[in-house]
Amino acid sequence: MNYLGVVTGMRSEANSLRFIKVPHLTLCAGGNPGRARSCAEQLIERGANRLLSFGIAGGLDPSLRTGTIILADAIVDQVGNEFLTNSEWRGELIKNLADSCSIIEGKIMTAERPATSSSEKHKLSQLTGAVAIDMESAGVAYVARKNDVPFLAIRAIADDSSQAIPQCALGGLTEDGSTRPMSVFIRLALRPWDLASLLRLAKDANYAIRSLSRVAATGF
């Protein structure tokens, strides 16, 4: 049976798909473009006839607020390779989601690691023209192009362009997309001044996940 193949970075992103109404299979890549590519290849092997990169992202465009949904028209990787998303599928989603979500179309950059400071986000925005940054979409896009299947990326802004990501948060994700709270707490003990930033990041990420849940409930 044909179905929608979805790649996320985190299990919490995958859980936001529980209301989706189409046959699908989801794999978590743990915030790594290479693993995202491997996940997408597995999904194709299992019969996926469409590929979707789905999850939260960091904002590069200063006008984007937390929770804004980005419907990517293109993905760019760290070396400048660009992948277009499927315009027909994208157009259908825009119509379906118009009454339930605030949607922005734009380019998303995929990187090996998060952009952790406002200055880094500004630099990447100027360099690539991307409005947001994630760590999975380019890997999925590559596999979609290779196999000639429709591809789309849907992302919700978690940390906006002005928000720094605390160092203690960077070790909190496993390869399968699970969280490692103890690792975060150990790092926080060494950098207690990061607590306020960490709490804000968690709050904003949860808000973004709720935005993704609304998208999933509307359908793909």
Side-chain angles (χ1 to χ4, degrees):
M1 179 178 67
N2 291 327
Y3 62 88
L4 172 65
V6 187
V7 177
T8 69
M10 301 185 297
R11 291 192 177 276
S12 57
E13 296 164 335
N15 290 339
S16 70
L17 289 161
R18 62 189 179 277
F19 299 117
I20 190 172
K21 300 175 183 178
V22 298
H24 68 286
L25 178 63
T26 303
L27 296 178
C28 298
N32 182 284
R35 284 197 296 272
R37 179 172 169 175
S38 177
C39 287
E41 289 172 341
Q42 291 178 54
L43 290 167
I44 290 293
E45 290 172 0
R46 298 180 190 182
N49 64 343
R50 295 183 296 163
L51 289 175
L52 173 66
S53 174
F54 189 77
I56 62 175
L60 301 182
D61 184 332
S63 69
L64 300 182
R65 303 273 70 86
T66 298
T68 302
I69 296 295
I70 309 300
L71 196 54
D73 54 21
I75 305 296
V76 61
D77 66 17
Q78 290 193 134
V79 296
N81 295 314
E82 191 162 300
F83 306 86
L84 299 180
T85 62
N86 185 273
S87 59
E88 182 178 353
W89 187 9
R90 193 170 71 244
E92 291 175 358
L93 272 184
I94 290 172
K95 292 178 183 178
N96 292 342
L97 298 172
D99 295 332
S100 59
C101 303
S102 173
I103 303 172
I104 300 294
E105 291 185 89
K107 184 188 298 184
I108 292 176
M109 177 190 179
T110 295
E112 296 283 346
R113 61 175 185 82
T116 58
S117 68
S118 58
S119 60
E120 184 179 5
K121 291 178 180 181
H122 176 74
K123 181 179 178 179
L124 291 173
S125 174
Q126 295 297 307
L127 182 65
T128 66
V131 301
I133 181 171
D134 72 12
M135 294 185 289
E136 293 87 24
S137 292
V140 185
Y142 175 87
V143 175
R145 176 187 287 180
K146 178 182 176 182
N147 290 275
D148 194 27
V149 299
F151 162 73
L152 207 58
I154 301 174
R155 294 279 156 170
I157 298 298
D159 49 299
D160 65 31
S161 66
S162 67
Q163 185 176 355
I165 297 179
Q167 290 296 313
C168 62
L170 298 180
L173 192 64
T174 67
E175 290 187 1
D176 69 354
S178 302
T179 56
R180 293 188 292 196
M182 187 56 64
S183 175
V184 175
F185 293 150
I186 290 172
R187 294 183 180 214
L188 182 61
L190 300 175
R191 299 174 58 89
W193 55 87
D194 280 345
L195 178 60
S197 295
L198 182 64
L199 292 175
R200 179 187 172 186
L201 181 64
K203 177 182 177 182
D204 290 348
N206 286 334
Y207 185 81
I209 292 291
R210 290 197 294 273
S211 294
L212 292 173
S213 295
R214 289 195 294 272
V215 172
T218 301
F220 301 116

